[in-house]
Amino acid sequence: MSKQELEVIGQDSACCPGLATAPLDEDRAADLARFFKALGDPVRLRLMSMIASRGEGGEGGERGEVCVCELTPAFDLSQPTISHHLKLLRQAGLIDCERRGTWVYYWVLPGVLDRLAAFLATPRPAEVRA
């Protein structure tokens, strides 16, 4: 599956109904399950949080990136184990990376967190009038 198929930018809830809006079809359920399966491990969830917390980065719309050298010390796990977890997050379409010399830099793919948030958002009931 290409990165272009995984990127979802600028979609609103009208085209992608949330959990409480409409039942999921089989394809959408499989697509979302891939994300949630990858995030279902505490180490991967922490890694995703560490990468996502870098936000949009600096000036000029640069993406927020984090080097694997900054991620590994946060865990009591070997570097190959951390790399395996990062690989699973990449395969799920949540993050991407780029090798620069000896180090690999990771970032969250655009729109992924917004897509998950939109799916999990529930419509607020109309205010009860007294």
Side-chain angles (χ1 to χ4, degrees):
M1 193 173 282
S2 75
K3 291 178 197 174
Q4 289 178 342
E5 291 174 318
L6 298 174
E7 265 184 67
V8 178
I9 299 174
Q11 287 194 342
D12 59 11
S13 59
C15 73
C16 302
L19 180 65
T21 308
L24 289 173
D25 64 31
E26 198 172 319
D27 291 336
R28 186 148 153 76
D31 186 43
L32 287 166
R34 186 186 54 199
F35 293 142
F36 289 115
K37 183 176 180 181
L39 294 173
D41 179 89
V43 171
R44 290 192 293 272
L45 189 57
R46 284 187 59 209
L47 285 166
M48 185 69 180
S49 173
M50 292 171 74
I51 297 166
S53 68
R54 287 298 171 102
E56 287 299 314
E59 297 177 20
E62 298 171 17
R63 63 180 176 243
E65 300 176 340
V66 62
C67 178
V68 70
C69 64
E70 298 175 65
L71 298 171
T72 305
F75 299 89
D76 190 24
L77 298 169
S78 68
Q79 185 276 326
T81 301
I82 296 298
S83 291
H84 172 73
H85 285 293
L86 290 165
K87 176 184 166 186
L88 294 176
L89 290 171
R90 280 184 44 236
Q91 288 175 337
L94 293 164
I95 63 173
D96 204 357
C97 67
E98 176 180 80
R99 177 173 292 281
R100 296 183 201 145
T102 4
W103 301 112
V104 179
Y105 290 81
Y106 292 88
W107 61 88
V108 175
L109 286 171
V112 168
L113 297 178
D114 291 337
R115 182 177 179 189
L116 292 175
F119 171 71
L120 292 172
T122 55
R124 294 185 181 184
E127 291 184 30
V128 178
R129 296 184 182 154

